Amino acid sequence: AQSVTQPDIHITVSEGASLELRCNYSYGATPYLFWYVQSPGQGLQLLLKYFSGDTLVQGIKGFEAEFKRSQSSFNLRKPSVHWSDAAEYFCAVGAGNTGKLIFGQGTTLQVKP
Amino acid sequence: DADVTQTPRNRITKTGKRIMLECSQTKGHDRMYWYRQDPGLGLRLIYYSFDVKDINKGEISDGYSVSRQAQAKFSLSLESAIPNQTALYFCATSGWDSQETQYFGPGTRLLVL
């Protein structure tokens, strides 16, 4: 069965520091992969997605993610974090051609001044 | 105006009461979804619908029912609310050609006393 694991429940970084949020998935075929962000009191906003092609994908707000098939990973990165990036981040995998997404548990990002 | 709206945004109810959460979308999407979010568990799928005459159970449908009144409207009902249904509920939509990308509403925060 498909699954998504975000190993880090909570991460704290200093403003201006680099960020990497981890995501590992279990899926038999080439997956559709997503990162969403949830700011406090808000819904989920799509940051970026991977379907095929270039394994390094660019998203909004300066985020990028790299698909590594050999490691079953889709880690999210940002070179310099801003205080407004404090939020909860969710990784998700498309469950085949079912129209459904499987979500990870989420990683809460705290940004120190 | 938001593409996916949910009403109410916040609701407090008592055990045993029937309540309905509503979702409307202006994206013209065929597919609609209801999720609940609990801390540490990510988002879990309750029900989904691929068109007006298609309703499917998700992984945690017990205690819930849905109605797809029109392409743009998808309601979630709790027939007899219980305290462990206290959660944040999200509606989402996707198009058949959107490669499983889902777009989320702002959420409804429900407290069952």
Side-chain angles (χ1 to χ4, degrees):
Chain A
Q2 299 89 359
S3 66
V4 178
T5 301
Q6 295 178 243
D8 304 304
I9 296 173
H10 193 107
I11 284 183
T12 301
V13 300
S14 298
E15 190 168 16
S18 63
L19 171 69
E20 182 170 34
L21 302 182
R22 296 183 291 163
C23 173
N24 294 100
Y25 67 90
S26 172
Y27 185 65
T30 300
Y32 293 167
L33 293 161
F34 305 83
W35 275 100
Y36 285 87
V37 60
Q38 183 184 18
S39 298
Q42 304 294 315
L44 276 72
Q45 181 183 20
L46 181 67
L47 280 176
L48 47 78
K49 57 189 177 184
Y50 170 80
F51 297 143
S52 64
D54 192 347
T55 56
L56 184 63
V57 293
Q58 302 297 320
I60 62 171
K61 305 185 179 187
F63 285 92
E64 65 177 26
E66 186 171 12
F67 169 57
K68 293 186 176 180
R69 183 189 303 275
S70 61
Q71 298 177 19
S72 297
S73 69
F74 188 56
N75 294 348
L76 182 72
R77 300 193 295 250
K78 187 170 184 177
S80 177
V81 170
H82 187 263
W83 65 266
S84 61
D85 293 324
E88 190 161 18
Y89 292 80
F90 292 95
C91 181
V93 61
N97 191 26
T98 66
K100 296 190 292 183
L101 295 181
I102 307 298
F103 284 85
Q105 303 93 320
T107 297
T108 300
L109 173 65
Q110 182 179 1
V111 181
K112 295 189 301 184
Chain B
D1 288 338
D3 295 321
V4 185
T5 58
Q6 293 183 234
T7 57
R9 293 293 311 276
N10 295 279
R11 178 74 183 269
I12 300 174
T13 191
K14 294 182 179 180
T15 297
K17 295 292 187 181
R18 181 182 189 277
I19 68 164
M20 179 182 289
L21 310 182
E22 299 186 338
C23 176
S24 295
Q25 53 109 349
T26 58
K27 299 184 75 69
H29 286 165
D30 292 323
R31 300 176 175 187
M32 299 187 72
Y33 308 80
W34 276 105
Y35 293 90
R36 65 177 279 175
Q37 182 185 9
D38 299 279
L41 297 179
L43 277 74
R44 293 180 292 165
L45 185 62
I46 306 172
Y47 271 96
Y48 61 103
S49 168
F50 284 174
D51 65 39
V52 174
K53 296 183 179 181
D54 176 78
I55 302 289
N56 303 281
K57 292 182 178 181
E59 61 178 305
I60 55 163
S61 58
D62 288 347
Y64 302 94
S65 62
V66 291
S67 172
R68 185 81 183 266
Q69 301 96 324
Q71 185 200 36
K73 296 184 182 295
F74 193 35
S75 299
L76 176 72
S77 293
L78 285 67
E79 299 301 327
S80 179
I82 56 177
N84 77 1
Q85 292 178 312
T86 293
L88 184 57
Y89 290 85
F90 286 106
C91 174
T93 75
S94 70
W96 67 270
D97 60 347
S98 66
Q99 294 173 308
E100 302 184 18
T101 303
Q102 294 185 15
Y103 300 89
F104 285 79
T108 294
R109 189 168 296 279
L110 175 65
L111 174 60
V112 182
L113 300 175

